[in-house]
Amino acid sequence: MRGDCANCFGLCCVALPFSASADFPVDKPAGTPCGNLAADFRCGIHERLRGEGYSGCTVYDCFGAGQKVSQVTFGGRDWRADREAGRRMFAVFPVVRQLHELLWYLTEALAVKPARSLHGELRRVLGETERLTLLSPDELGALDVAAHRAVVGDLLQRTSELARSGVPGALGRKKNRRGADLMGARLRGADLHGASLRGAYLIGADLTGADLRRADLLGADLRGARLGGADLTGALFLTQPQLNAAVGDARTVVPGRLTRPSHWAQPLTTGPAGGGRAT
């Protein structure tokens, strides 16, 4: 469930569109190769993406969908050599990407110990989601992904509630900020321990020193959010792309399963696997 660009045909650089904005310097329609895509399907400016204005690329992850579509769904066919296969690959890739994202969330949910009562159901839905990723191109094209996302979303919500139930007040109205517009909000030092920030807009929010332990961050938009000194221990459903989009520092406590972004200030001494408090 991690992107393996060496076994992909640069699908995210071709299939997906982007528009000139703070994240990209130019427009690119879906199905058109990015101008930086090299002959070997690698990015020609990978080490300079932020400096060249392509910060949107640095906060994207296909969750392994690229190599699944390239090597499994289409059996290693190169879209440059087979244009018709390419057209179908570009249509299928976003579908498989959504399914792989759901696989990642379901796997994360299985690591949530307070949600043990749901583990059987989580494993069943995980297996069903994996089965869907192996459908034929035509079957994937006809798949109702939204309906499956709804099933998974309900299960993840129940997982979140069980995980946060041990935090006093976490399930009350005060800490329910689901889908809230918190763009540019001043949340310095805020007590968000166990809060639901699912789908919240936290673009440019000041979360310096905030307590985000066990907060549900599924789908929260953290672009430009300031996380200096924030504690993300046990944060639920936080992804690497979300972390990459934020701005932290050496004091930010990053969950051990994630990697401290290289564009952040260099970390001080931390616990195993990048977790634990900076000292």
Side-chain angles (χ1 to χ4, degrees):
M1 289 176 288
R2 291 180 180 274
D4 180 3
C5 298
N7 287 302
C8 180
F9 297 126
L11 292 186
C12 65
C13 304
V14 186
L16 306 179
F18 54 71
S19 301
S21 62
D23 297 320
F24 298 99
V26 296
D27 294 328
K28 187 194 84 65
T32 300
C34 173
N36 299 307
L37 185 64
D40 61 357
F41 300 108
R42 296 180 182 274
C43 176
I45 60 168
H46 185 265
E47 301 302 322
R48 311 191 310 277
L49 282 169
R50 286 183 178 275
E52 296 284 344
Y54 288 85
S55 61
C57 297
T58 69
V59 298
Y60 176 82
D61 192 335
C62 75
F63 294 97
Q67 64 260 30
K68 173 69 72 65
V69 173
S70 296
Q71 303 300 331
V72 179
T73 312
F74 286 87
R77 275 179 284 176
D78 178 346
W79 57 264
R80 281 178 171 159
D82 188 338
R83 296 293 181 175
E84 175 55 26
R87 183 185 64 79
R88 300 174 72 201
M89 290 173 80
F90 303 153
V92 163
F93 173 65
V95 175
V96 179
R97 195 271 180 189
Q98 289 189 67
L99 293 173
H100 268 246
E101 182 180 28
L102 295 179
L103 287 175
W104 190 90
Y105 284 133
L106 288 165
T107 302
E108 285 290 291
L110 280 168
V112 178
K113 293 181 180 179
R116 286 192 188 92
S117 61
L118 296 177
H119 283 189
E121 192 172 355
L122 284 164
R123 291 190 186 93
R124 179 184 64 77
V125 176
L126 178 67
E128 172 62 12
T129 306
E130 178 61 36
R131 184 190 70 79
L132 293 176
T133 71
L134 299 173
L135 293 175
S136 70
D138 288 341
E139 290 171 322
L140 285 166
L143 183 65
D144 187 348
V145 183
H148 190 66
R149 285 190 76 95
V151 171
V152 175
D154 177 70
L155 191 51
L156 296 179
Q157 176 64 31
R158 290 156 59 196
T159 299
S160 172
E161 290 172 355
L162 287 171
R164 296 181 294 115
S165 63
V167 181
L171 302 184
R173 292 181 60 187
K174 185 178 180 181
K175 288 193 175 182
N176 182 9
R177 310 305 299 274
R178 181 171 181 168
D181 183 352
L182 298 170
M183 291 191 288
R186 297 178 181 178
L187 297 168
R188 180 180 289 260
D191 176 12
L192 295 169
H193 186 192
S196 175
L197 292 165
R198 179 175 294 213
Y201 296 94
L202 290 158
I203 302 170
D206 184 1
L207 289 157
T208 303
D211 184 354
L212 290 160
R213 291 174 298 157
R214 248 191 291 181
D216 184 345
L217 291 167
L218 193 152
D221 194 334
L222 294 171
R223 284 178 293 170
R226 298 193 290 281
L227 294 174
D231 191 343
L232 292 158
T233 301
L236 298 167
F237 308 124
L238 176 66
T239 67
Q240 190 65 50
Q242 284 175 297
L243 206 60
N244 292 347
V247 181
D249 63 16
R251 300 167 299 135
T252 308
V253 183
V254 177
R257 68 187 187 280
L258 300 177
T259 302
R260 187 180 299 272
S262 60
H263 65 278
W264 288 12
Q266 291 299 308
L268 300 177
T269 304
T270 59
R277 287 190 177 278
T279 56

